[in-house]
Amino acid sequence: MTFGFAPPPAADPVSRLSRILEPAEWAAAGIPLLRNPREVVTGLHSRHRPRPSTAVIAVLDPEERLAASASFTRRGSSAADGWEFRNALLAQLRRVIPHDLRRRTPVRTAVLLYCREGESQWTEEDGAWMWGLRDACTLHGLRCGAYITLTRAGWQVLGEGRGGRRPHSASLHSRLDTATGDGVTTAVPYPRGEAHEALRRSAAV
């Protein structure tokens, strides 16, 4: 068995709802604040060009510079389950960046940007992504960072009350030299040299 993947949990509604974080629980978890969320959101949006149902997981270093990121599209219309989201996020993290499990305390932070339809208010799907992000971070030795939604109304850092109108889920996407394939899976590996500098300028501060 691959470390970090448990057998599928019970699929009944009560068990599924236990894998959802309410806004109050998220706010009480001590999630670190982004110093400049607008630049992080704009950079990830430009790099991954998310469409509705696309999740972008990004790892930031202690200076809030982008170390790695990946995007993937949620498939199917099944009920949101934090366990499934956790496994999907963990698989992407393992593809693009080594774990920090040997460190006594995490030094890098993972943030999640999710582009979806609907209103900007919290939903059960958001709660499942929050649960999945928190658990994936624990299993990969990272700090759990911000959860950001991208809707037609704009972007919003849930639990913080910070947001903006642009970019939004229907924004025109700027063109970068990073290939995005068919939008199903996009990975930006750990940057080095000139690539690192490009990521610093375009994605985070």
Side-chain angles (χ1 to χ4, degrees):
M1 180 183 297
T2 303
F3 175 76
F5 288 99
D12 63 273
V14 175
S15 297
R16 181 181 64 81
L17 289 174
S18 70
R19 296 185 288 272
I20 289 175
L21 289 180
E22 299 281 347
E25 295 175 290
W26 184 255
I31 305 299
L33 300 179
L34 289 170
R35 290 197 293 270
N36 197 329
R38 183 181 300 277
E39 288 198 13
V40 172
V41 172
T42 300
L44 293 178
H45 182 269
S46 297
R47 184 158 298 278
H48 290 275
R49 306 178 185 181
R51 304 293 185 185
S53 298
T54 300
V56 180
I57 180 73
V59 179
L60 308 179
D61 71 10
E63 301 303 318
E64 210 167 276
R65 295 172 299 198
L66 184 64
S69 64
S71 64
F72 60 97
T73 302
R74 183 190 176 197
R75 297 302 189 188
S77 57
S78 58
D81 191 320
W83 181 85
E84 293 181 0
F85 292 170
R86 184 278 306 271
N87 283 351
L89 294 171
L90 191 58
Q92 296 299 324
L93 288 170
R94 287 172 172 169
R95 289 181 58 233
V96 298
I97 199 163
H99 67 73
D100 279 345
L101 294 171
R102 293 183 180 89
R103 294 183 178 273
R104 290 189 176 183
T105 57
V107 296
R108 296 186 291 194
T109 302
V111 301
L112 178 60
L113 171 71
Y114 185 57
C115 182
R116 62 170 174 77
E117 301 286 5
E119 301 297 325
S120 58
Q121 289 86 358
W122 180 91
T123 67
E124 284 191 0
E125 184 182 23
D126 295 326
W129 280 115
M130 289 171 167
W131 190 97
L133 175 62
R134 185 185 65 177
D135 218 42
C137 288
T138 299
L139 293 172
H140 208 66
L142 302 170
R143 288 199 307 171
C144 180
Y147 173 71
I148 306 159
T149 58
L150 194 68
T151 66
R152 285 189 174 271
W155 59 272
Q156 180 177 347
V157 185
L158 291 192
E160 294 185 19
R162 293 192 290 176
R165 293 183 178 180
R166 294 183 179 276
H168 52 75
S169 61
S171 292
L172 293 176
H173 303 284
S174 60
R175 299 182 62 182
L176 292 180
D177 56 359
T178 301
T180 57
D182 59 4
V184 175
T185 301
T186 302
V188 180
Y190 189 79
R192 301 182 187 281
E194 294 180 1
H196 190 185
E197 292 302 314
L199 287 176
R200 285 180 58 184
R201 289 193 298 270
S202 65
V205 172

